DNA sequence: AATGAATGAGACTTCATTCAT
DNA sequence: CATGAATGAAGTCTCATTCAT
């Protein structure tokens, strides 16, 4: 990512290390230059590796980019998956955790968000995303909707149906990402979490008490 | 775009007609191929014009793309601007109109949305967007927030402060666009409007009565 | 040549006027930009005419350039031709006049010299020059050599043979042009004439007395 | 340059070798086609290399052309510089050597001279020449003038002042180059050297005895 | 006679990929 | 494993020429 003062480690490294090096460099490059200017020279340069290395580990540039998108998607999937699988948490905590995962400091990195939108802007990667990765989105929507039903069953029925609320939560979440990316001074991760809390709060005030920001950390 | 066997008529046309022809072709091309694959050959071919025409009317490809983004932004700006300026409308009607403008059939075209996100995905056009066009977003946010304050003054104070609700509305709106683009079968314009209505409804039930979809057309 | 504040004379003009307008603009353009950057747009723009005009008067760019070179050559040819034909002058005066013609203020213009060398630098115009115009050079060389023989016959035989001296005079003349073009601060027309005078002086001191610059104007 | 049916060997070569290959091809191309028709395809084709190679070694065509002009200038500079630095030579020998260097068989190549004038004909390369290389010309003029003063001090004072004679020598030299280029049948290297000898001879007959061509090789 | 919008071949340049080392 | 010189297809841009007006 920087001008690497230290001599590059020319020696062999485990396959996975090299792959991750290249994926990280790809994220930064797409973030800063966009897909259309993310050249192999730039990416491998940032990784401190030679241009020929891509052929070795990914066969082609297209594969590297797809691996990068897959990596981002899986990283997020694992994060909320772990929370959802945590038996120690109640449905409200799970819901808040699953929704909030996208705003964790190491997930909603400035460059990672830019990279996500870089891919979303290109038809061919949208197609790839739908084919390979969109299942994760379906899963999360299903999980969120199920958790909303759990909450509803456990108290007063909400004004909106869970399906609709799921859609609102997912889309608000995505829109907050876009806001964070385009106008970081207007939308920051804290504000984003508060907007999501407010949405939940308006339907489940008992579980997501309105007002106190502090309450966000102690979902009941 | 068509397989015209006959040589082009080479008829001169007003400068504005040619510019719009090219902008339209650019929208479609970026939508279908992404910025990185939107070549001059492809764009001018879709416009049914020669490749040299771009230099004549826009000087460079970059200018054409910037003009395209500007065109999209201005089109939207004019749409909600007209609603906001309509003296016959009350604050709730204005609010609903301003927010809903982004989902009009000729604004939230499949290709136009894809084109928007194509630009958002490229760092250099994000920068251009911020420099040249972002003022429109600030204006709209200010307008929405002011209308929310009008509504609040006119009835029971809302649970959330107008600034926060503005952010939620804007971001939900953007997120719904992304949803419509990525998963058109999951989010369609009607669903999008309903999600926005629900959000307003939860804070101003008197003005945006919950439940009836039909009510959306008769905001009080 | 300038930005023409006055509205261009759109009305018809005699064919020769238009041709000369274009040739003059061509000279300036080649002088300032070189043959490789002398575009039709630039040339016709400097002439205050439309780009389509060239086709009308010269058929093609190549013809215009050739006409320009021919014009320059004929202008010079006429100048020394008139001097040579002047029955009132003696051989020394003719010699000095023929040689000096190339340094007249309106012949050795900065831009005309630059244009000459612009053509000499391009193989295809060198070829054209040899075909069409070089006869003028042969003529002048023959004239100079004949005049040198006249002078020699009329006094002490010179140390060098006329053929060699002709070559020296012609080449020194050309070299002085190059010097004037490349280093105008080092070689100016006065210096150029003095160098030529000195060369003649060293072989015909009686006719071209050494020393006095003033003497140059009163060749005997 | 040849019709090689077999694919190129694609063997790597030292950077300097490739640069020289390209410079040589550039000289020939400019010589034969002129600057305006010296295309990358033509140049790299003559070098037997791919078109992409220029970007690798020179970044741009303009850089390649400037490197070519610089190469020509340095080659000449080194040639006369070596002679001038030769302690074994007397002033007359040095003078003759320095002036004659420009007519050495491998310096005054037909193509190299054509290339020189190709550059002189283009305004932007004249400018570059003045900026980067003209110092060489100043140096040589200074060296020649100093040598002329040495000769004058060592014998009878010459009729012309050294400064003027330097200008005559330099310009005659340049003009002879132009003559050799334009009319190779009229001016050849031998004739050129003889014209220069005659000029020196007319001022320093003792050092440059008139008449004998053979004497040119045994300057005293 | 004159204009200038439009064309498209061809120029320079970029960059993914290859492959000898 | 890893490098990076070399390739050449494909991109953007320039500009001489055409032709309806």
């Amino acid at each position: 990512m920087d001008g690497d003062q230290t001599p590059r480690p020319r020696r062999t490294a485990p396959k996975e290390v090299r792959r991750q090096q290249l994926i990280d460099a790809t994220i930064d490059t797409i973030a800063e230059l966009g897909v259309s200017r993310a050249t192999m020279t730039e990416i491998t340069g940032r990784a401190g590796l030679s241009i020929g290395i891509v052929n070795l580990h990914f066969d082609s540039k297209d594969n590297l980019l797809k691996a990068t998108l897959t990596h981002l998607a899986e990283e997020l999937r694992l994060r909320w998956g772990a929370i959802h699988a945590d038996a120690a948490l109640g449905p409200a905590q799970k819901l808040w955790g699953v929704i909030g995962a996208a705003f964790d400091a190491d997930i909603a990195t400035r460059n990672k968000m830019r990279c996500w939108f870089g891919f979303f802007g290109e038809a061919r990667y949208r197609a790839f995303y739908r084919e390979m990765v969109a299942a994760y989105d379906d899963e999360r929507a299903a999980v969120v909707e199920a958790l909303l039903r759990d909450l509803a069953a456990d108290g007063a029925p909400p004004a909106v149906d869970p399906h609709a609320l799921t859609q609102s939560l997912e889309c608000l979440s995505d829109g907050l990402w876009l806001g964070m990316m385009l106008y970081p001074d207007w939308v920051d991760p804290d504000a984003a979490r508060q907007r999501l809390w407010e949405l939940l709060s308006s339907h489940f005030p008992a579980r997501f008490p309105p007002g106190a920001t502090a309450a966000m950390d102690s979902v009941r």
Side-chain angles (χ1 to χ4, degrees), chain A residues 26 47 62 81 86 94 117 127 174 212 217:
Chain A
T26 303
D62 197 55
D86 188 341
K94 283 187 177 179
F117 283 103
D174 290 346
D217 295 330

Side-chain angles (χ1 to χ4, degrees), chain A residues 35-36 61-62 65-66 119 122-129:
Chain A
V35 169
S36 74
K61 180 188 178 184
D62 197 55
L65 264 64
K66 285 176 175 168
F119 283 123
E122 292 280 307
R124 71 196 135 131
Y125 293 110
R126 278 199 300 269
F128 174 76
Y129 182 80

Side-chain angles (χ1 to χ4, degrees), chain A residues 24 42 49 66 71 77 105 124 128 157 185 207 210:
Chain A
D24 290 343
E42 185 69 30
L49 295 169
K66 285 176 175 168
H71 168 79
R77 172 70 183 79
R124 71 196 135 131
F128 174 76
D185 294 335
R207 300 309 190 111

Side-chain angles (χ1 to χ4, degrees), chain A residues 10 13 23 25 58 63 79 82 121 124 139 155 161 190 199:
Chain A
R10 267 164 209 275
I23 286 175
F58 291 94
N63 275 348
R79 187 66 55 94
R124 71 196 135 131
E139 282 182 74
D161 79 291
D190 284 343
L199 180 56

Side-chain angles (χ1 to χ4, degrees), chain A residues 52-106:
Chain A
I53 200 93
V54 168
N55 182 249
L56 206 61
H57 291 293
F58 291 94
D59 282 343
S60 73
K61 180 188 178 184
D62 197 55
N63 275 348
L64 170 58
L65 264 64
K66 285 176 175 168
T68 302
L69 178 51
T70 302
H71 168 79
L72 288 173
E74 284 177 347
E75 183 185 46
L76 180 56
R77 172 70 183 79
L78 286 172
R79 187 66 55 94
W80 67 255
I83 294 166
H84 181 243
D86 188 341
L89 302 175
Q93 289 169 313
K94 283 187 177 179
L95 180 59
W96 184 241
V98 166
I99 288 170
F103 297 89
D104 284 357
D106 61 328

Side-chain angles (χ1 to χ4, degrees), chain A residues 14-36:
Chain A
K15 200 174 173 87
E16 270 317 306
V17 171
R18 285 278 178 262
R19 286 179 63 96
Q20 194 57 46
Q21 253 182 305
L22 287 165
I23 286 175
D24 290 343
T26 303
I27 291 171
D28 290 338
T29 306
I30 291 179
E32 290 170 31
L33 303 179
V35 169
S36 74

